[in-house]
């Protein structure tokens, strides 16, 4: 019954201050420039979305929630011409704003984590981000906190970025460039970038800002006691500086240039047999100087996070060597920053790196943030993919990106300013496209977007009237076993496991999968709450409205935040009559709406 009805339904579907002058002026400039560019291409943009569609869209974008039926109704009846701007400000002032965007940026940072233990810091890192966004900390200040963080990872959330890559300079350099400037530099680690102008020396000059970062467990008996520190040397040698010549001069008693087990001393003697299995290339049960140099390099590479006094670009032809000594040099020529003295300590280097990245003379910092936020709110960025910008790339509607990036810089990287400005544009508020995406000029109409896992989770909780976590109500079966020991809302974590995706991925590449569909169709949690009992949302609707048409309208407002079309009402009424059981028919109707593509999408 439910499957048949779902198919039929899908086939039928067709005291807050208004935004300040700066935001509205820039929003107007954006729309004027887009109108000019559309006219040049003989494109007529779509009109503004209905109040229902706008309210659902902006509520999901700025707060990660869906509006209640009462909110939808009151917003539609409100005659205030500034009600949309006021709603934008109201949502930005809510605690939910920080929660949804803290969750988003946690995914941006952790999606490429190389440290397998990042789950240890996820809750604290996300909580720190939530506080930063709700306090409206400028983006350049958040960037500085992330790159210069020190402290215990279970106490200082800001250490999340560095811990996610165990403090490894090469990994951090690639991610810092990607996250904060939208530039992919990782290819230049081993060779000059094949499609961009970045050279290998530029990548390793960037990594040279970061060698003295140390990430270590401070208490061997406490798994969570990892800490990000500055590794200070004060003239002493690090373990990686152990000289084979000195070692052999001390231990090689017969002076044959090789060490056997009887000659080895200390830790080398204790692990000699184990080292032989890896280093003894000629199988003579001895270690030569060359073999020792190789195993030393391998041991160093397998122990990330130790911190090194200086940074060396690896010699690809001789992996055992230290490589070429590199000085910290920022690869964006336009960016103005401090001159570093040779041998500068860790925090001096890291702060200098942030000075270069956040400098108003660095165009990529503002453009990367604007491009990412615009893409997340409108479904497509000026540069795509959003984290692969660069001088060899060409932005769509480059003038529009320039207007927003300049405004973001001029307003000192005020994050809420940018969200408010974008949400007040006509480009953001346009109605949904009705043709295939290939035939629509970007930003001339709204694009349907798959909701992120947190938005879906919040929507389910709101629609079904759940106050606590899904996981406390037996929703996930076997998945609960995987969530034991994880901090935070286990139901939310399970939703992320099922529904999350790389936030840098283009929307056209984000599709549902079989586990998601099976959960939505077979979850005992949904089955238990989609019923006409008096204590459920559906039961209260049925008790409140004796007229089926009124109940249908209220159910659509609850689940989809809009009124049903006449065709949808007609199909629903026919089905209720066919089933001849009001409660069962409405359960099927609600189940179908919850399983619809529209419910899982922003429109």
């Amino acid at each position: 019954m439910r499957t048949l009805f779902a198919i039929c339904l899908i086939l039928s579907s067709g005291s807050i201050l208004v935004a300040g002058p700066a935001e509205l002026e820039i929003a107007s400039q954006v729309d004027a420039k887009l109108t000019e560019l559309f006219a040049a291409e003989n494109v007529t943009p779509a009109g503004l979305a209905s109040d229902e569609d706008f309210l659902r869209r902006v509520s999901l974008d700025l707060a990660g929630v869906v509006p209640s039926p009462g909110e939808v109704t009151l917003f539609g009846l409100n005659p205030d011409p500034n009600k949309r701007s006021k709603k934008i400000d109201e949502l930005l002032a809510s605690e939910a704003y920080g929660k949804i965007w803290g969750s988003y940026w946690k995914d941006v940072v952790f999606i490429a984590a190389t440290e397998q233990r990042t789950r240890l810091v996820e809750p604290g890192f996300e909580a720190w981000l939530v506080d930063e966004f709700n306090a409206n900390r400028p983006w350049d200040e958040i960037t500085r906190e992330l790159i210069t963080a020190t402290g215990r990872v279970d106490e200082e959330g800001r250490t999340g970025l560095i811990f996610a890559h165990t403090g490894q300079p090469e990994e951090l350099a690639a991610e810092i460039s990607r996250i904060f400037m939208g530039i992919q530099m990782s290819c230049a680690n081993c060779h000059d970038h094949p499609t961009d102008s970045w050279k290998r020396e530029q990548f390793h000059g960037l990594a040279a800002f970061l060698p003295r970062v140390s990430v270590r467990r401070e208490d061997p008996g406490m798994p969570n006691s990892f800490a990000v520190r500055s590794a200070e040397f004060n003239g002493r040698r690090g373990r990686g500086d152990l000289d084979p010549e000195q070692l052999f001069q001390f231990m090689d008693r017969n002076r044959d240039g090789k060490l056997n087990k009887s000659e080895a001393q200390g830790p080398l003697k204790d692990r000699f047999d184990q080292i032989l299995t890896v280093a003894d290339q000629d199988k003579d049960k001895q270690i030569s100087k060359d073999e020792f140099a190789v195993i030393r390099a391998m041991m160093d590479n397998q122990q990330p996070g130790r911190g090194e006094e200086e940074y060396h670009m690896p010699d690809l032809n001789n992996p055992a060597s230290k490589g070429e000594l590199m000085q910290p040099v920022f690869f964006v020529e336009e960016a103005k920053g401090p001159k570093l003295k040779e041998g500068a300590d860790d925090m001096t280097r890291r702060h200098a790196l942030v000075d270069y990245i956040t400098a108003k003379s660095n165009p990529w910092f503002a453009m990367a943030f604007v491009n990412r936020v615009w893409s997340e709110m409108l479904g497509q960025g000026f540069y795509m993919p959003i984290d692969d910008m660069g001088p060899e790339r060409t932005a769509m509607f480059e003038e529009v990106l320039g207007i927003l990036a300049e405004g973001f810089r001029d307003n000192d990287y005020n994050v809420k300013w940018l969200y408010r400005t974008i949400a007040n544009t006509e480009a953001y508020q346009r109605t949904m496209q009705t043709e295939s995406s290939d035939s629509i000029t970007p930003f001339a109409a709204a694009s349907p977007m798959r909701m992120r896992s947190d938005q879906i989770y919040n929507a389910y909780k709101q629609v079904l009237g759940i106050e606590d976590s899904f996981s406390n109500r037996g929703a996930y079966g076997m998945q609960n076993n995987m969530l034991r020991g994880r901090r935070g809302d286990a139901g939310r974590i399970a939703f992320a496991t099922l529904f999350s995706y790389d936030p840098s991925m283009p929307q056209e590449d984000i599709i549902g999968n079989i586990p998601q569909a099976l959960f939505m169709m077979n979850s005992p949690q949904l089955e238990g709450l989609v019923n006409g009992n008096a204590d459920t949302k559906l039961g209260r609707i049925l008790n409140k409205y004796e007229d089926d048409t009124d109940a249908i309208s209220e159910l659509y407002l609850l689940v989809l935040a809009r009124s049903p079309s006449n065709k949808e009402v007609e199909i629903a009424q026919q089905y209720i009559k066919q089933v001849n059981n009001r409660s069962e028919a409405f359960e099927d109707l609600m189940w179908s709406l919850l399983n619809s593509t529209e419910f899982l999408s922003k429109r």
Side-chain angles (χ1 to χ4, degrees), residues 409-445:
R409 282 195 300 271
D410 290 346
N411 284 274
D412 297 321
Y413 305 117
N414 184 318
V415 175
K416 285 189 178 181
W417 178 93
L418 180 63
Y419 288 116
R420 183 179 289 112
T421 299
I422 293 175
N424 272 287
T425 63
E426 291 182 1
Y428 174 76
Q429 296 184 25
R430 296 194 196 285
T431 193
M432 190 66 60
Q433 61 190 32
T434 56
E435 303 174 41
S436 66
S437 58
D438 292 338
S439 62
I440 297 293
T441 300
F443 319 138

Side-chain angles (χ1 to χ4, degrees), residues 574-593:
Q574 291 175 354
Y575 185 75
I576 294 168
K577 183 177 181 180
Q578 175 185 342
V579 173
N580 198 28
N581 182 313
R582 189 172 190 248
S583 179
E584 180 183 332
F586 270 95
E587 290 172 12
D588 291 347
L589 173 58
M590 186 175 191
W591 180 89
S592 297
L593 294 176

Side-chain angles (χ1 to χ4, degrees), residues 141-151 158-159 161-162 176 210 213 228 230 346-355:
E141 292 184 14
I142 294 176
T143 300
R144 186 173 299 276
E145 292 287 340
L146 288 168
I147 294 175
T148 65
T150 59
R158 69 198 74 197
T159 60
L161 170 61
I162 294 176
I176 286 171
L210 303 160
V213 178
V228 175
S230 293
D346 172 54
M347 293 309 294
T348 301
R349 297 188 200 201
R350 284 201 267 167
H351 277 288
L353 173 58
V354 178
D355 289 342

Side-chain angles (χ1 to χ4, degrees), residues 197-441:
S197 59
W198 314 122
K199 304 299 183 183
R200 185 166 183 251
E201 289 76 11
Q202 290 177 300
F203 175 86
H204 291 284
L206 179 62
F209 284 93
L210 303 160
R212 294 190 174 204
V213 178
S214 169
V215 179
R216 293 186 182 180
R217 181 179 288 161
E218 296 194 329
D219 185 341
M222 296 181 62
N224 295 350
S225 67
F226 284 93
V228 175
R229 305 293 184 194
S230 293
E232 301 300 343
F233 293 86
N234 299 320
R236 67 176 173 84
R237 288 183 178 273
R239 289 185 302 174
D241 294 320
L242 187 60
D243 187 354
E245 290 290 343
Q246 294 180 358
L247 182 76
F248 275 71
Q249 183 176 359
F250 178 69
M251 294 187 187
D252 184 15
R253 292 193 294 270
N254 61 11
R255 298 293 182 257
D256 64 350
K258 295 186 177 184
L259 293 180
N260 56 45
K261 191 171 184 178
S262 64
E263 293 175 316
Q265 298 180 31
L268 183 61
K269 183 179 184 67
D270 296 336
R271 300 180 60 191
F272 195 85
D273 291 337
Q274 181 182 357
I275 292 172
L276 277 180
T277 62
V278 179
D280 187 15
Q281 298 177 358
D282 56 11
K283 306 303 180 185
D284 63 353
K285 298 189 182 302
Q286 299 184 92
I287 301 175
S288 67
K289 290 180 183 180
D290 289 341
E291 289 171 339
F292 181 82
V294 171
I295 191 62
R296 179 75 264 174
M298 291 174 62
M299 290 171 65
D300 287 344
N301 291 337
Q302 291 170 0
Q303 299 179 57
R306 296 178 298 107
E308 296 291 344
E309 188 169 9
E310 295 297 343
Y311 181 81
H312 296 78
M313 180 172 67
D315 184 341
L316 300 181
N317 296 318
N318 184 10
S321 71
K322 293 185 67 172
E324 179 183 351
L325 175 65
M326 301 295 293
Q327 296 301 323
V329 178
F330 195 62
F331 66 98
V332 178
E333 293 183 358
E334 306 98 307
K336 306 302 180 184
K339 299 293 184 181
L340 285 174
K341 294 182 179 179
E342 188 172 338
D345 63 21
D346 172 54
M347 293 309 294
T348 301
R349 297 188 200 201
R350 284 201 267 167
H351 277 288
L353 173 58
V354 178
D355 289 342
Y356 278 108
I357 291 172
T358 62
K360 292 190 175 181
S361 56
N362 177 13
W364 301 106
F365 181 65
M367 286 198 296
F369 191 84
V370 169
N371 187 56
R372 183 175 284 277
V373 173
W374 179 275
S375 175
E376 187 60 27
M377 294 180 69
L378 278 83
Q380 188 174 16
F382 300 100
Y383 285 94
M384 293 299 291
I386 55 176
D387 56 0
D388 194 9
M389 302 165 58
E392 280 73 30
R393 308 285 188 269
T394 301
M396 295 187 300
F397 302 113
E398 188 172 11
E399 300 96 325
V400 178
L401 173 60
I403 291 170
L404 288 167
E406 183 179 356
F408 188 46
R409 282 195 300 271
D410 290 346
N411 284 274
D412 297 321
Y413 305 117
N414 184 318
V415 175
K416 285 189 178 181
W417 178 93
L418 180 63
Y419 288 116
R420 183 179 289 112
T421 299
I422 293 175
N424 272 287
T425 63
E426 291 182 1
Y428 174 76
Q429 296 184 25
R430 296 194 196 285
T431 193
M432 190 66 60
Q433 61 190 32
T434 56
E435 303 174 41
S436 66
S437 58
D438 292 338
S439 62
I440 297 293
T441 300

